[in-house]
Amino acid sequence: MNTDEFRPNFEDELVTGRPDQAIATVQSLPYFVGRSGKIANTAALSMHLVMISPGTIARPHYHQHDETGIYVLTGAVKIRDGEHLEKVSINQAGDFLYIPPGMLQTAQNWSATRAARAIVAQNAPQEQENVMPYTIATTPTED
């Protein structure tokens, strides 16, 4: 790596914020937008807090061009993926997840009594523009 190409940025400023209102999403989950192109003028990053109420199942969807990183803060979430959402994983507080672009997925709060919370980051400044709903022949069950 040539260090002459990289220099500190002394022009821009740190942007701090605390989201206080959720937005509606394609996934049917409340997103509290932390940083995005609209809010912080980011060029290639968006980051949100998602809260999943007890028993709630997200609408099946995929992210058209975006890689997604998730960190589960509290609770446990069942993630389904695959062509028919047949693959299942249970992710708990402290788990990091990576979801590649185009991967069909849905999430369900694994608890009937406690909300799950996670930080979601994507390599795009858009909040929802690249999220595509997807309809499959059968809806995932709560097994």
Side-chain angles (χ1 to χ4, degrees):
M1 174 192 309
N2 183 351
T3 58
D4 293 336
E5 296 176 19
F6 299 96
R7 302 256 185 240
N9 178 347
F10 299 113
E11 303 301 319
D12 292 331
E13 296 183 17
L14 175 71
V15 178
T16 302
R18 185 180 300 251
D20 59 0
Q21 188 171 349
I23 64 168
T25 66
V26 172
Q27 304 93 313
S28 299
L29 296 174
Y31 267 36
F32 293 82
V33 179
R35 300 295 87 186
S36 69
K38 291 178 186 174
I39 293 176
N41 201 30
T42 62
L45 175 71
S46 61
M47 188 166 26
H48 319 293
L49 171 66
V50 63
M51 298 183 71
I52 307 174
S53 299
T56 298
I57 301 174
R59 182 177 183 185
H61 66 281
Y62 62 95
H63 300 259
Q64 195 169 26
H65 306 288
D66 306 339
E67 293 179 293
T68 303
I70 300 174
Y71 179 72
V72 181
L73 294 167
T74 61
V77 180
K78 177 169 47 173
I79 304 290
R80 289 181 176 270
D81 67 276
E83 184 177 353
H84 301 285
L85 301 176
E86 70 280 3
K87 300 175 187 174
V88 177
S89 64
I90 305 298
N91 301 278
Q92 300 179 31
D95 287 348
F96 285 90
L97 291 73
Y98 168 72
I99 300 173
M103 188 174 99
L104 180 61
Q105 61 186 289
T106 187
Q108 176 184 354
N109 185 336
W110 194 234
S111 172
T113 60
R114 183 176 176 208
R117 297 183 320 146
I119 298 292
V120 178
Q122 294 167 319
N123 65 323
Q126 302 88 359
E127 296 161 10
Q128 285 285 294
E129 289 83 344
N130 293 331
V131 180
M132 302 291 124
Y134 191 83
T135 302
I136 56 173
T138 59
T139 302
T141 60
E142 295 186 27
D143 56 327

